[in-house]
């Protein structure tokens, strides 16, 4: 899986790329992340990539020429042109089904904006998929791009060990509920004890407790998840 990140601030990614799970995936050749500085495609001697908006108003707008030419040049670097994603608060909101869909691509280009936004012609020429990571405004698309890479690589075969398969994640696969409460050692801390059932070794009872805990949490915290789509029927449901 290859990601190409197009940004004015490639250095922001350095620390993130060196962290454990992603670094391991990169070292194993499962994931590749290439950073591209949009400024390298600026045409003038001051390397201008942004300008004041026509019609007035605050802030600066990302210019059309360096951005479009950067995307086109990066696309040509591989026989697979890749799926172009523009990070913007105006895009469709990222959720796990969207992450699952993105993970089907072999190559994704992530176009990060800054300032007050993109010159509209960037959208008109490149026709990207526009994605937002939530209804709040970030200073730029870089953190959103990292969120997408982080969520997508969990679904790339081989990136997670068998032990921590993404199938059990909240929102993923069959699971549309929030994840159940987890505990590790010690068994007791400041009077708070690990629920007895989790120490019982009875896998059926543990599974039932987790299912119920998951359901309760979803009901208390995110009742909208029940409304969106009914939980899928399990083999157990079908047998009854
Ligand atoms: N750029 C600025 N805010 C953003 C958001 N919420 N999601 C994606 N990109 C952004």
């Amino acid at each position: 899986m290859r990601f190409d990140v197009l940004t004015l601030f490639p250095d922001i990614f350095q620390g993130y790329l060196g962290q454990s799970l992603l670094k391991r995936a990169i070292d194993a050749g499962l994931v590749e992340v290439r950073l591209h500085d949009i400024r390298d495609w600026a045409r003038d001697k001051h390397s201008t990539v942004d300008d004041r908006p026509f019609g007035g108003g605050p802030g600066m707008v990302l210019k059309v020429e360096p951005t479009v030419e950067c995307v086109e040049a990066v696309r040509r670097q591989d026989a697979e042109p890749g799926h172009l994603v523009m990070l913007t608060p105006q895009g469709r909101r990222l959720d796990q089904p969207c992450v699952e869909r993105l993970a089907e691509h072999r190559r994704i280009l992530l176009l990060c904006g800054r300032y007050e936004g993109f010159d509209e012609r960037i959208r008109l020429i490149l026709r990207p998929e526009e994605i937002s990571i939530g209804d709040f405004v970030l200073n730029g698309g870089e953190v959103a791009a990292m969120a997408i890479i982080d969520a997508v690589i969990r679904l790339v075969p081989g990136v997670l060990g068998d032990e921590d398969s993404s199938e059990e994640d909240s929102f993923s696969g069959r699971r549309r509920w929030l994840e159940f409460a987890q505990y590790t050692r010690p068994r007791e801390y400041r009077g708070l004890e690990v629920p007895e059932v989790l120490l019982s070794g009875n896998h059926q009872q543990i599974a039932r407790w987790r299912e119920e805990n998951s359901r309760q949490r979803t009901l208390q915290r995110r009742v909208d998840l029940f409304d969106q789509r009914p939980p899928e029927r399990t083999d157990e449901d079908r047998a009854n």
Side-chain angles (χ1 to χ4, degrees):
M1 172 107 214
R2 170 173 168 170
F3 295 94
D4 289 272
V5 184
L6 294 74
T7 167
L8 294 173
F9 300 94
D11 291 348
I12 292 179
F13 290 83
Q14 288 310 340
Y16 170 61
L17 293 178
Q19 62 99 33
S20 69
L21 188 79
L22 181 54
K23 184 173 185 315
R24 251 194 293 140
I26 291 171
D27 291 347
L30 298 168
V31 173
E32 189 183 353
V33 183
R34 298 205 190 181
L35 303 172
H36 309 275
D37 191 340
I38 299 170
R39 204 172 288 280
D40 293 343
W41 276 267
R43 291 173 167 192
D44 61 335
K45 65 175 190 293
H46 301 295
S47 298
T48 310
V49 285
D50 60 316
D51 209 339
R52 291 188 307 274
F54 279 124
M60 302 290 267
V61 174
L62 204 56
K63 283 171 71 65
V64 60
E65 316 95 300
T67 309
V68 166
E69 286 160 31
C70 177
V71 170
E72 288 174 344
V74 169
R75 281 205 136 142
R76 284 195 296 269
Q77 290 178 0
D78 195 304
E80 160 72 64
H83 180 64
L84 178 63
V85 171
M86 174 189 272
L87 286 318
T88 162
Q90 300 186 15
R92 72 159 279 189
R93 188 122 47 94
L94 186 69
D95 56 14
Q96 193 64 25
C98 177
V99 170
E100 285 165 14
R101 196 172 39 73
L102 289 174
E104 287 168 12
H105 293 276
R106 275 208 313 108
R107 185 183 185 204
I108 298 175
L109 285 75
L110 298 165
L111 176 58
C112 307
R114 277 268 143 179
Y115 314 111
E116 299 308 307
F118 299 89
D119 185 305
E120 188 62 17
R121 290 164 293 186
I122 297 171
R123 289 188 168 88
L124 297 173
I125 294 169
L126 297 173
R127 300 260 166 225
E129 177 179 8
E130 299 183 36
I131 295 182
S132 162
I133 60 162
D135 291 340
F136 43 83
V137 180
L138 300 165
N139 289 315
E142 286 75 11
V143 170
M146 284 187 227
I148 289 183
I149 295 172
D150 217 86
V152 168
I153 62 161
R154 294 178 61 77
L155 305 182
V156 173
V159 167
L160 297 184
D162 285 346
E163 277 183 6
D164 29 36
S165 144
S166 60
E167 262 298 293
E168 286 299 309
D169 287 352
S170 298
F171 317 116
S172 75
R174 264 189 38 220
R175 178 178 289 283
R176 301 287 160 188
W177 295 352
L178 298 182
E179 198 166 285
F180 46 79
Q182 295 273 28
Y183 296 86
T184 185
R185 286 182 290 184
R187 286 182 174 204
E188 186 270 343
Y189 182 67
R190 298 193 180 181
L192 297 172
E193 290 183 4
V194 175
E196 199 60 41
V197 59
L198 299 179
L199 311 172
S200 68
N202 183 328
H203 296 297
Q204 219 177 4
Q205 275 182 20
I206 292 173
R208 222 174 291 135
W209 182 90
R210 286 181 163 166
E211 180 91 359
E212 182 53 21
N213 186 271
S214 206
R215 206 180 66 82
Q216 285 293 336
R217 290 193 152 211
T218 311
L219 202 60
Q220 283 160 7
R221 301 175 187 205
R222 292 289 308 274
V223 75
D224 58 299
L225 293 178
F226 284 111
D227 299 341
Q228 266 173 26
R229 162 212 294 232
E232 278 171 39
R233 275 152 57 90
T234 60
D235 291 343
E236 208 175 303
D237 291 334
R238 281 188 202 96
N240 295 326

